[in-house]
Amino acid sequence: MYKYFGLVGFLPMLVFLFGSPYTINAQIDYQEGYVVTNTNDTLYGLIKDRKTGAFGKLYKKIRFKGKKSKSKYGPKQIVSYKKGETNFETLQLIRTGHFLADEYEVSPKGDYQFLKVVASGHVIYYQMEFEDADSGYIDTIAFFKKKVGANLVRVNQGVFGLKRRKLAAFFSDCPDLAQRIRTKRIKNAIEIVDFYNNCKSENP
């Protein structure tokens, strides 16, 4: 009898400490954030945009839970959204490159897509997410887009690293940066973003 009541008392304690499975799953799946609609209304609530883990899945429409309602939003319906600490923007893109999704252009005729914003300023560092058929996980392709301009250029090419020739041409309006890219004095995308933002702030 003592053991029975001990177990009964122990189970509520576990629930109190760790929460119910439903609560834990809700916390994993949804994060606090907001959406900005096409009418510039900002709606605060909980956001879910994917199934995580092996065989991950990106939702075509994000799930939104507000205080009074639930909704689903596709990229055509909202300007941007924030999930946790991560921002996403909607862009209309048409492919202009001819090799491995090399280049895109923002165009009114393009397809609506959500892109993750890694860093921003005079140049914006985006990641285009996709479901990898081989690994079953969600992977990304990195792009740069200048704040003033419509072209997106791919940042790197897998194990081959930065696409230095294309990036040097893309950043030709900052000759010092272009030279550092060509001579491998700059090693990664974030260094490029920081250098270009400083360059354009000092020489607008």
Side-chain angles (χ1 to χ4, degrees):
M1 182 68 71
Y2 174 78
K3 290 182 179 179
Y4 173 77
F5 281 109
L7 181 60
V8 170
F10 183 65
L11 288 175
M13 184 180 295
L14 284 177
V15 173
F16 174 77
L17 290 175
F18 299 103
S20 69
Y22 176 82
T23 302
I24 292 173
N25 287 336
Q27 290 173 346
I28 293 173
D29 290 342
Y30 283 88
Q31 295 185 43
E32 291 186 3
Y34 59 79
V35 299
V36 180
T37 68
N38 288 340
T39 56
N40 285 324
D41 292 321
T42 302
L43 309 177
Y44 293 90
L46 298 174
I47 306 288
K48 178 181 177 182
D49 62 359
R50 70 195 63 204
K51 175 185 175 183
T52 56
F55 306 104
K57 177 181 177 64
L58 291 169
Y59 297 142
K60 293 182 179 179
K61 292 188 175 183
I62 67 169
R63 278 62 165 164
F64 173 80
K65 287 184 179 181
K67 290 184 178 180
K68 298 182 179 179
S69 63
K70 298 179 182 179
S71 301
K72 294 181 180 180
Y73 294 101
K76 194 172 183 178
Q77 298 170 286
I78 59 177
V79 175
S80 62
Y81 72 93
K82 183 176 183 179
K83 184 189 72 171
E85 298 301 318
T86 307
N87 290 288
F88 295 81
E89 292 181 1
T90 294
L91 294 181
Q92 285 183 261
L93 299 177
I94 57 173
R95 183 173 168 179
T96 56
H98 301 290
F99 179 69
L100 294 176
D102 205 34
E103 295 178 1
Y104 286 83
E105 180 179 322
V106 177
S107 168
K109 298 180 181 180
D111 295 327
Y112 290 84
Q113 296 190 46
F114 290 131
L115 270 70
K116 181 193 294 185
V117 181
V118 181
S120 60
H122 294 283
V123 64
I124 307 169
Y125 177 13
Y126 287 114
Q127 286 182 345
M128 181 184 291
E129 297 183 306
F130 66 96
E131 298 166 18
D132 185 78
D134 295 326
S135 69
Y137 284 87
I138 296 171
D139 207 344
T140 61
I141 302 174
F143 290 94
F144 286 139
K145 177 188 173 297
K146 293 176 184 175
K147 189 174 183 179
V148 179
N151 295 325
L152 281 78
V153 63
R154 188 164 178 173
V155 175
N156 48 33
Q157 191 69 58
V159 296
F160 298 105
L162 295 175
K163 296 177 72 67
R164 294 185 179 275
R165 184 179 299 177
K166 281 188 174 292
L167 292 177
F170 187 70
F171 292 110
S172 60
D173 56 329
C174 181
D176 192 9
L177 174 58
Q179 178 65 14
R180 287 169 182 263
I181 292 172
R182 281 192 293 265
T183 57
K184 300 184 179 181
R185 292 166 63 189
I186 281 188
K187 305 297 183 182
N188 58 59
I190 291 297
E191 288 183 13
I192 292 176
V193 171
D194 291 341
F195 198 102
Y196 186 78
N197 285 336
N198 289 332
C199 175
K200 299 309 290 183
S201 294
E202 295 172 0
N203 304 284

